[in-house]
Amino acid sequence: MTKIFSLEEISEVAKEILATSNLKKVITFHANMGVGKTTLIKELAKQLGVTNNSSSPTFSLVNEYESKTGEAIYHFDLYRINNELEAYDIGIDEYFYSGNWCFIEWPEKIPHLIPLDHAAIIINLLPNGKRELVLKNE
């Protein structure tokens, strides 16, 4: 799936992503700083029924949200991680193989720990201020 959108359309984009057939629950997010990874993840969480305020887990590495149905949703921001051992020490593999949603910012920090069976979202900022999103869910 490829989509061009403005930030005002992020709700519709999140709905389209979640409507993807056989969407994998571990999703990596690839984009430069400030392009909208956290904004999209917050909207995905909202669409999944998270009612409390979601935010970037920059300092805690992972935030856990609960949907209205009691499902756990994990949001990782690995920007400040120094090596894969740090991620392994927090039990990141247990999160990834829990069967729950895992949204991962800065996955390139832990390339050997990301499950092979995952989806990837790549977001690029276009010159007109819109975003190009590519979803790979193979």
Side-chain angles (χ1 to χ4, degrees):
M1 169 179 126
T2 299
K3 183 85 175 167
I4 306 291
F5 68 98
S6 67
L7 288 180
E8 292 79 27
E9 299 168 300
I10 203 142
S11 179
E12 292 80 24
V13 171
K15 284 178 188 170
E16 285 186 48
I17 291 168
L18 292 172
T20 300
S21 179
N22 299 314
L23 180 63
K24 294 173 177 40
K25 286 197 158 184
V26 175
I27 305 175
T28 58
F29 290 77
H30 307 266
N32 291 329
M33 182 100 47
V35 172
K37 295 181 298 292
T38 300
T39 303
L40 178 57
I41 291 170
K42 287 167 70 171
E43 186 58 36
L44 289 166
K46 180 179 172 187
Q47 297 286 333
L48 289 167
V50 172
T51 55
N52 58 330
N53 193 14
S54 53
S55 61
S56 178
T58 300
F59 296 103
S60 62
L61 298 181
V62 61
N63 280 350
E64 181 177 343
Y65 311 120
E66 187 175 320
S67 73
K68 287 185 234 179
T69 61
E71 183 178 23
I73 299 162
Y74 302 112
H75 176 192
F76 299 87
D77 185 334
L78 304 174
Y79 182 75
R80 296 191 188 287
I81 205 161
N82 293 312
N83 56 54
E84 290 184 329
L85 185 57
E86 281 184 48
Y88 196 74
D89 284 347
I90 68 161
I92 206 161
D93 54 331
E94 292 177 30
Y95 290 106
F96 291 171
Y97 295 99
S98 68
N100 293 306
W101 290 101
C102 292
F103 301 133
I104 309 160
E105 295 185 58
W106 306 104
E108 56 275 5
K109 297 278 198 151
I110 58 164
H112 301 101
L113 300 179
I114 301 293
L116 293 176
D117 192 29
H118 72 277
I121 290 178
I122 300 101
I123 308 171
N124 291 302
L125 182 61
L126 301 176
N128 64 2
K130 290 191 176 194
R131 274 77 173 157
E132 176 190 50
L133 179 142
V134 177
L135 169 63
K136 295 181 180 179
N137 187 52
E138 298 150 4

